[in-house]
């Protein structure tokens, strides 16, 4: 199989939508990272996502829809979820909600869970593709499972070339880290995965503290595995200096071979995180990363770095 590299032209978007209808896998950009899309109603296509990515069978997928009104066909909203969806969709927020019994979704999308993660991406290419397709698309990150997330079409092709049917080139992803995932317990919001919308921003919208639960099973939502988002090379975090043989990823005044944000801007740092790690990983040397403030989007950055630096398990 040769992976087709498509543009964001109307003609190519229509072709990508036709591929999805035919049960094919199409990678496409969102504002967070590139996703690997399949028709949520097609068991064979969804199963192929797991196979192509070498993704654990218990790790669920996120459903992407064009507008909030489409989401209500799949999940049951509560008042807090309604508020968050109205405030942050389209955008990098996934809501983990009970699946409707009437929803036509492949059982493999939710894996072992009764809930479904769903979101409305804001990237114009994702919007165009979802609208042209006219349905919901299951789309985890378009990379091999556990590896660095893709934020450019080149990242996608480096891992999945000739393993998927097509990729739509929409340029670099603006947010650069995965969506924030919010679940609910007794209609109370719980942060399941830190991501592209900062915790304090969500708490301000809800006018409430979000309960953090870092020990949810991996079958509940993506991003829960101890080792994830990892480069091939060893990664050392909170490094204030470079050791012999290492390449150094700086932040702010702590400079290095590359710098996530010379001005110490966490939004800029999050948008550059995976691109910089891809660049340093290509050098084939151990990577050391400067300390990142654990506030705002820095919480999500540190979550990715902690999981990326976790030891490999057999």
């Amino acid at each position: 199989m040769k992976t087709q590299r498509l543009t964001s032209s109307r003609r190519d978007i229509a072709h990508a939508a036709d591929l999805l209808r035919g049960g094919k896998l199409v990678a496409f950009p969102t504002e967070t990272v590139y996703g690997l899309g399949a028709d949520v109603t097609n068991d064979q296509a969804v199963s192929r996502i797991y196979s192509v990515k070498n993704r654990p069978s218990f790790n669920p997928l996120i459903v992407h829809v064009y507008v909030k009104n489409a989401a209500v066909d799949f999940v049951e909203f509560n008042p807090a979820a309604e508020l968050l969806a109205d405030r942050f969709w389209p955008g990098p927020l996934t809501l983990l909600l009970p699946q409707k019994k009437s929803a036509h979704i492949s059982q493999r999308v939710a894996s072992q869970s009764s809930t479904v993660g769903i979101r409305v991406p804001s990237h114009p290419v994702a919007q165009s593709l979802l609208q042209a397709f006219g349905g919901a698309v299951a789309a985890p990150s378009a990379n091999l499972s556990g590896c660095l997330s893709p934020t450019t079409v080149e990242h996608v092709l480096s891992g999945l070339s000739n393993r998927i049917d097509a990729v739509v080139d929409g340029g670099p992803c603006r947010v650069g880290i995965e969506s924030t995932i919010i679940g609910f317990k007794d209609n109370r919001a719980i942060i399941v995965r830190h991501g592209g919308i900062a915790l304090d921003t969500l708490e301000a919208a809800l006018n409430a503290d979000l309960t953090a639960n870092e020990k949810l099973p991996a079958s509940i939502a993506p991003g829960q595995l101890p080792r994830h988002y990892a480069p091939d090379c060893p990664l050392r975090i909170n490094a204030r200096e470079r050791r012999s043989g290492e390449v150094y990823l700086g932040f702010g005044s702590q400079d290095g071979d590359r710098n996530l944000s010379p001005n110490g801007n966490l939004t800029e740092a999050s948008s550059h995180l995976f691109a910089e790690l891809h660049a340093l990983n290509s050098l084939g040397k151990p990577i050391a990363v400067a300390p990142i403030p654990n506030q705002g989007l820095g919480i999500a950055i540190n979550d990715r770095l902690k999981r990326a630096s976790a030891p490999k398990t057999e």
Side-chain angles (χ1 to χ4, degrees):
M1 172 197 307
K2 183 176 181 180
T3 299
Q4 302 175 50
R5 181 166 175 169
L6 306 176
T7 70
S8 58
S9 69
R10 182 177 298 182
R11 179 178 178 178
D12 278 4
I13 291 293
H15 177 56
D18 284 340
L19 289 173
L20 288 170
R21 291 188 198 98
K24 306 299 186 182
L25 300 188
V26 178
F28 63 95
T30 76
E31 71 280 14
T32 58
V33 300
Y34 273 71
L36 180 58
D39 180 353
V40 298
T41 68
N42 189 318
D43 288 326
Q44 187 174 1
V46 172
S47 294
R48 194 169 153 227
I49 286 180
Y50 285 91
S51 175
V52 163
K53 282 175 57 70
N54 296 326
R55 187 180 180 90
S57 61
F58 57 78
N59 200 359
L61 309 178
I62 292 175
V63 174
H64 293 65
V65 293
Y66 172 56
V67 290
K68 178 190 170 188
N69 285 346
V72 301
D73 293 335
F74 299 100
V75 293
E76 300 280 358
F77 279 80
N78 59 58
E82 291 272 6
L83 188 156
L84 290 172
D86 290 340
R87 171 68 177 80
F88 296 106
W89 281 359
L93 177 68
T94 294
L95 298 176
L96 199 58
L97 295 167
Q99 180 178 333
K100 284 186 172 179
K101 292 181 179 179
S102 59
H104 187 195
I105 302 177
S106 168
Q107 289 186 346
R108 298 218 63 188
V109 169
S111 185
Q112 303 169 22
S113 177
S114 62
T115 57
V116 172
I118 195 162
R119 82 180 188 98
V120 179
S122 64
H123 195 291
V125 173
Q127 284 272 309
S128 295
L129 179 58
L130 289 166
Q131 188 174 23
F133 176 60
V137 171
S141 55
N143 60 337
L144 293 174
S145 184
C147 296
L148 288 171
S149 295
T151 57
T152 69
V153 70
E154 287 77 16
H155 298 161
V156 176
L157 291 171
S158 70
L160 298 180
S161 182
N162 301 331
R163 295 168 65 94
I164 62 176
D165 299 284
V167 56
V168 182
D169 187 351
C173 300
R174 174 181 57 83
V175 174
I177 54 175
E178 293 79 4
S179 61
T180 303
I181 299 179
I182 298 294
F184 300 89
K185 183 176 182 180
D186 300 325
N187 292 335
R188 202 165 32 87
I190 298 171
I191 189 154
V192 177
R193 178 179 74 183
H194 293 280
I197 299 178
L199 174 63
D200 53 359
T201 301
L202 293 164
E203 289 182 331
L206 288 170
N207 193 28
D209 293 336
L210 269 71
T211 304
N213 189 337
E214 302 292 349
K215 296 182 179 180
L216 288 175
S219 61
I220 296 296
Q224 306 303 299
L225 296 172
R227 180 176 169 83
H228 206 32
Y229 318 109
D232 299 320
C233 300
L235 183 72
R236 186 168 65 92
I237 61 176
N238 295 318
R240 297 192 176 277
E241 76 293 319
R242 179 208 318 262
R243 293 175 183 169
S244 176
E246 290 181 332
V247 289
Y248 191 77
L249 180 55
F251 175 78
S253 60
Q254 198 86 15
D255 211 359
D257 298 280
R258 302 181 76 95
N259 196 311
L260 287 172
S261 173
N263 296 323
N265 183 297
L266 290 170
T267 300
E268 181 181 33
S270 69
S271 70
H272 292 168
L273 177 65
F274 286 121
E276 297 292 7
L277 288 174
H278 273 283
L280 292 177
N281 188 52
S282 69
L283 301 177
K285 298 180 179 180
I287 303 167
V289 184
I292 307 296
N294 201 42
Q295 60 191 38
L297 289 175
I299 298 174
I301 295 171
N302 283 320
D303 171 75
R304 303 306 186 274
L305 290 172
K306 179 182 176 181
R307 295 180 193 274
S309 64
K312 293 181 180 181
T313 56
E314 297 300 328

